[in-house]
Amino acid sequence: MKFLMYVIGIIFSLIVVMSMFFPFLNVYAKMEKIPDPYYFLVLGMDTTDVNEKVSRTDSILLVGVSEKKNKILVLPIPRDLLVNIEKETLRINAVYVKYGIEKLQKIIQDIFKVKISDYLIFDYGLFKEIGEIYAPVKIYVPKDMYYEDFHQNLHINFKQGYNYLNGEELLYYARFRYDALGDLGRIQRQKDVLFALMGEAKNSGLSKVLYSIDKVLNRTVNSFDYKKLFSLFLITKKSEINFLSLPIEIVGDYVKINNDQIKYTNKYLVDFEKPLKKEKIWVTLINNMESFKLSFYTITRQRWTNAQGYLIEIVDILPNIDGIDHNKSYLIIKNDKYERKILNEIKNRYSKITFKLIDAKQNPTQYFSIIKFLSDNFYNTLNSDVIILVGSNS
């Protein structure tokens, strides 16, 4: 009799355990095989309610997945990228709301020559809800962050160093954009949050992961199902994640794709291997002449004619920055490995001009003021190796 009760107890325990894990086993057994490579879109709406009517898409990410290569590629697409659609030129962040996800999907497919299978559209409230599941989430804050906006109910006060944030604090961190880098800095913080949440998910128990997947499915507009999202999670656990940069050119308030460089990005997305290419030095030149009557763009292009190995960006907007005097020339070398080469190049092309060297460590206020000026005028300073303020036409 005791033996029979013992056996019944074991059987009952097995039934309880199997009932607990049956949903997972059922999903796992019926999972669809994800194509390789596999691409999907992630759209972020600048609201805390995905069903709220908004006029623009705040962030657009193209994600590529290769289980064979154990890699995931994430390409942020600038909001101000100009595209042509139905004889109309508009920013890409207006396409989804005006024309729908299918039209946006086709435009991005045509640009990057890949087949996009799925999409996920989220609002920033999702950061808060997923963050609460894994809280406290460890985030490194590079410098003190403080901002109060009672209209948006946004209250930020983070200290430099490692911070352990709850869901609401993660939302504040991801939405913060009031630093020298503007939207570029905000994109970096969103990357930080995504990496932190993925790291937490990889090291969490199954119940939290399943709950997170359920939350994503029910809190977003998407074309996924439970099985596919779980498959993506399993691939993510063992994959290297790389963020790509789109090669762009700034034209006024807009962004255009650099057609000479986009082929490298497309090849990277298809092969999941960084293509070899000849490295160019990115030089940003700013007009610092107060009453320059000629075309700074034309004169500068002529001066840098036949500049082999350089990518030239010209900013014809007079900066008004404390500590920067108009009609004087300044030089910032962001990439030290090019210092000797760029100094020689400037000596040849600007032989009659004396440049004051601004060191970011010794003069951080001046340096970040210039970076903020460029960012405020929609210029990408992350890729610049050298920044030159030209204060004389000599």
Side-chain angles (χ1 to χ4, degrees), residues 286-290 296 315 317-319 324-330 389-392:
I286 304 171
N287 181 9
N288 195 37
M289 289 175 275
E290 200 164 25
F296 179 73
V315 182
I317 304 171
L318 186 70
I324 300 297
D325 297 327
H326 290 164
N327 305 316
K328 290 189 177 181
S329 300
Y330 300 86
L389 285 82
V390 183
S392 171

Side-chain angles (χ1 to χ4, degrees), residues 38 50 64 85-86 89-90 136 145 188 195 209 237 287 294 304 321 323 348 356 361 377:
Y38 166 73
V50 76
I85 178 170
E86 298 186 4
T89 300
L90 70 165
M145 296 170 59
Q188 181 59 51
F195 270 120
V209 172
K237 277 180 70 73
N287 181 9
L294 303 175
W304 286 82
I321 300 171
N348 291 332
K356 179 182 178 181
K361 294 179 181 178
N377 287 283

Side-chain angles (χ1 to χ4, degrees), residues 283-289 296 300 303-304 327-333 342-359 386-394:
V283 180
T284 298
L285 295 124
I286 304 171
N287 181 9
N288 195 37
M289 289 175 275
F296 179 73
T300 302
R303 192 184 288 268
W304 286 82
N327 305 316
K328 290 189 177 181
S329 300
Y330 300 86
L331 173 65
I332 300 173
I333 300 176
I342 196 65
L343 288 176
N344 288 333
E345 195 71 43
I346 289 173
K347 185 178 180 180
N348 291 332
R349 296 183 186 274
Y350 296 96
S351 58
K352 297 181 180 180
I353 298 179
T354 300
F355 287 86
K356 179 182 178 181
L357 191 64
I358 296 177
D359 187 292
V386 182
I387 299 174
I388 303 172
L389 285 82
V390 183
S392 171
N393 191 35
S394 298

Side-chain angles (χ1 to χ4, degrees), residues 257-301:
I257 288 177
N258 184 317
N259 292 321
D260 293 333
Q261 299 295 318
I262 189 64
K263 59 185 177 182
Y264 296 107
T265 303
N266 290 352
K267 184 171 176 56
Y268 198 165
L269 284 167
V270 171
D271 297 341
F272 285 78
E273 299 290 343
K274 189 171 184 178
L276 296 175
K277 60 180 180 178
K278 189 175 180 180
E279 201 173 59
K280 290 189 176 183
I281 301 174
W282 187 315
V283 180
T284 298
L285 295 124
I286 304 171
N287 181 9
N288 195 37
M289 289 175 275
E290 200 164 25
S291 57
F292 188 55
K293 304 298 183 183
L294 303 175
S295 168
F296 179 73
Y297 184 92
T298 301
I299 296 297
T300 302
R301 275 293 176 199

